[in-house]
Amino acid sequence: MADEEVQTQEQVAVAAPAEEKTKMVAPKAPIFGKYDTTEIVINDAGLAKYIDLNSTSVPHSGGKHANKWFGKSNLSIVERLINNIMRTEKYTGKKLKAYKAVSDAFDIIAAKTKKNPVQVLVEALENAAPREEVTRLQFGGISVPKAVDISPQRRLDIALRNVSSGVVAASAKNKKTIQDCLADEIMLAAKGDMTSFAVAKKEETERVAQSAR
């Protein structure tokens, strides 16, 4: 009888469906609590891997990726823009000031274009990312310029740097605030307008590289 009871218990244990464990996933907050990134489209396939669009209400990671190889690829693209503005002399170490400038600039872009400002930023970076640049090769004692292709991650780095440095330079000794200058720069770059500092630098870099082929 004892053996029959053990067999019956084993059969019940096998027949009983396993309880499914449900994981509670917290919903991701939109950028600045306003702008959703789930429907952002990246047309440049080379940059798609390096433009991080993870939604977070406050784009501030506290430098947790700072000491990791290619860790910056895991940072929100909006946070990378804020950090690049901080790299300039005027905004060094002023994270809150740079954060407020980008947040207000996004509000201006949304009001003027009626589009998601994160999408406009992505389009601006795609248009401002150069594909070629010049390096120097040494042949004996002679230095010869040579055009080389740029890696996707460096393309994005250059685009962010040019947008940020152009905005800070444009707002210096100007009645326009940095918020207005940043909004104008992003909107012009998204259109591929040559009056954009970042787009003009990209065209100059590619023109010099073309002459060095």
Side-chain angles (χ1 to χ4, degrees), residues 178-191:
I178 187 171
Q179 291 90 334
D180 293 324
C181 292
L182 179 57
D184 291 344
E185 174 69 21
I186 293 175
M187 288 187 291
L188 289 172
K191 297 175 183 176

Side-chain angles (χ1 to χ4, degrees), residues 3 7 40 64 66 70 104 107 115 125 133-134 136-137 140 149 153 156 173 179 184 190 195 197 211:
D3 293 340
Q7 290 179 356
I40 301 299
K64 64 182 180 181
F70 308 113
D104 291 345
D107 292 340
K115 294 173 62 177
L125 295 176
E133 64 181 346
V134 173
R136 295 267 174 190
L137 301 179
D149 294 334
Q153 189 167 51
L156 185 60
K173 298 182 181 179
Q179 291 90 334
D184 291 344
T195 56
F197 178 85
S211 64

Side-chain angles (χ1 to χ4, degrees), residues 13-211:
V14 171
E19 295 182 1
E20 296 181 358
K21 296 182 179 180
T22 57
K23 295 182 179 180
M24 299 297 293
V25 179
K28 293 184 178 180
I31 297 291
F32 299 129
K34 304 174 186 177
Y35 309 113
D36 188 22
T37 60
T38 55
E39 297 182 358
I40 301 299
V41 178
I42 304 174
N43 296 315
D44 193 320
L47 298 180
K49 182 180 177 181
Y50 301 96
I51 296 179
D52 187 271
L53 295 173
N54 286 331
S55 293
T56 173
S57 179
V58 180
H60 175 57
S61 63
K64 64 182 180 181
H65 301 294
N67 297 323
K68 299 177 182 178
W69 278 23
F70 308 113
K72 57 189 173 182
S73 298
N74 298 321
L75 289 179
S76 167
I77 193 63
V78 179
E79 182 179 356
R80 293 196 63 190
L81 176 63
I82 295 171
N83 291 345
N84 271 268
I85 291 176
M86 287 176 60
R87 291 178 65 180
T88 58
E89 180 180 356
K90 187 176 179 181
Y91 289 88
T92 300
K94 299 178 181 178
K95 182 64 176 274
L96 187 59
K97 193 172 182 180
Y99 177 95
K100 187 71 166 58
V102 174
S103 177
D104 291 345
F106 274 26
D107 292 340
I108 296 171
I109 294 170
K112 288 185 176 180
T113 64
K114 308 301 180 184
K115 294 173 62 177
N116 189 332
V118 181
Q119 178 68 63
V120 180
L121 173 63
V122 168
E123 293 172 2
L125 295 176
E126 289 175 344
N127 292 334
R131 293 176 174 83
E132 281 186 311
E133 64 181 346
V134 173
T135 189
R136 295 267 174 190
L137 301 179
Q138 291 286 342
F139 294 100
I142 303 173
S143 180
V144 180
K146 178 66 175 176
V148 293
D149 294 334
I150 307 178
S151 67
Q153 189 167 51
R154 178 166 169 78
R155 289 180 62 208
L156 185 60
D157 293 347
I158 294 173
L160 284 167
R161 188 186 316 153
N162 286 339
V163 168
S164 303
S165 58
V167 165
V168 174
S171 63
K173 298 182 181 179
N174 192 342
K175 292 182 180 179
K176 293 178 68 174
T177 63
I178 187 171
Q179 291 90 334
D180 293 324
C181 292
L182 179 57
D184 291 344
E185 174 69 21
I186 293 175
M187 288 187 291
L188 289 172
K191 297 175 183 176
D193 196 322
M194 282 295 294
T195 56
S196 164
F197 178 85
V199 174
K201 290 289 288 184
K202 171 208 172 183
E203 295 295 334
E204 179 185 353
T205 302
E206 291 184 343
R207 185 173 62 253
V208 173
Q210 186 176 4
S211 64

